[in-house]
Each structure stands twice: as structure tokens, then as C-alpha cells.
Amino acid sequence: QVQLVESGGDSVQPGGSLRLGCTGSGLILSSYAVAWYRRLRGEERASVAVITVGGYTHYDDSVKGRFTISRDSAKNTVWLQMNNLKLGDTAVYYCNLYSYPMEWGQGTQVTVQQ
């Protein structure tokens, strides 16, 4: 019953913002490094942001300065705040434990278009 559930995906215009959530069930997310990944159309899944147990964050260059990963322990959730979205951000977004990855969930679709 241990799983992560992604939420918050939507269709937005370029320059818009979204906040994605990664909510844990059956585990305490604050005990693990958690990463957000995305699968661009026609490409492999790749990490975009990581938050460590100690609260350090790391971002792929493609999203640095636009995306922010954070924790909400009360909600057992890791957020991905996405600002100034670009057409190239269109993808299915997933979360997973960085060091102990589990089976991938369904992800959440983010579509950036006019």
C-alpha cells in the first residue's frame, strides 16, 4: 500500500503557473529524498528537481529559476511550484523516492499551449 500520488496537472498558457503535489501513502516523505521527474514527448523520463532529507534542493538547468520544490510535512506532500511555464515544459510529471525508487505511478499531465 506504499505509494505516491501526483496531482495538480492542467493545461495553461505560456508564462502561467501550476503547483503539482506528490502525496505519500504508507510512508513518511520527510524521511526520504524525493524527486520530480518528467517525460517529454518522445523522450526518456528525466529528473527535474530533487529535495533531500536535509532540505537541500537541486534543479535541472532547464527549470532552474522557474521551478521550486518544497515539503509540506503536515500534508505528507512534496510540492513542485512551476512558474513562467514554457511550451517545452509540456510533459507527464512524476514523483518518486530519489534513492529508493518505487514503481512509477500514473503521473500528472502538464500541457503548456496557446
Side-chain angles (χ1 to χ4, degrees), residues 6-20:
E6 301 94 344
S7 63
D10 206 347
S11 179
V12 297
Q13 294 183 335
S17 297
L18 287 172
R19 187 178 69 170
L20 307 183

Side-chain angles (χ1 to χ4, degrees), residues 34-103:
V34 177
W36 279 96
Y37 303 78
R38 67 185 180 187
R39 184 186 293 277
L40 304 173
R41 198 167 84 92
E43 299 187 15
E44 296 294 320
R45 188 160 28 218
S47 65
V48 296
V50 181
I51 185 165
T52 70
V53 173
Y56 291 96
T57 58
H58 307 272
Y59 301 94
D60 183 78
D61 286 343
S62 65
V63 307
K64 191 173 297 182
R66 300 188 297 119
F67 291 10
T68 303
I69 188 170
S70 62
R71 295 182 183 273
D72 186 340
S73 295
K75 293 181 170 61
N76 202 29
T77 295
V78 172
W79 303 109
L80 184 67
Q81 179 66 48
M82 310 165 68
N83 297 326
N84 191 24
L85 284 161
K86 304 179 182 300
L87 296 179
D89 295 322
T90 294
V92 179
Y93 285 73
Y94 306 83
C95 62
N96 215 332
L97 308 182
Y98 188 72
S99 298
Y100 305 95
M102 304 185 298
E103 182 179 358

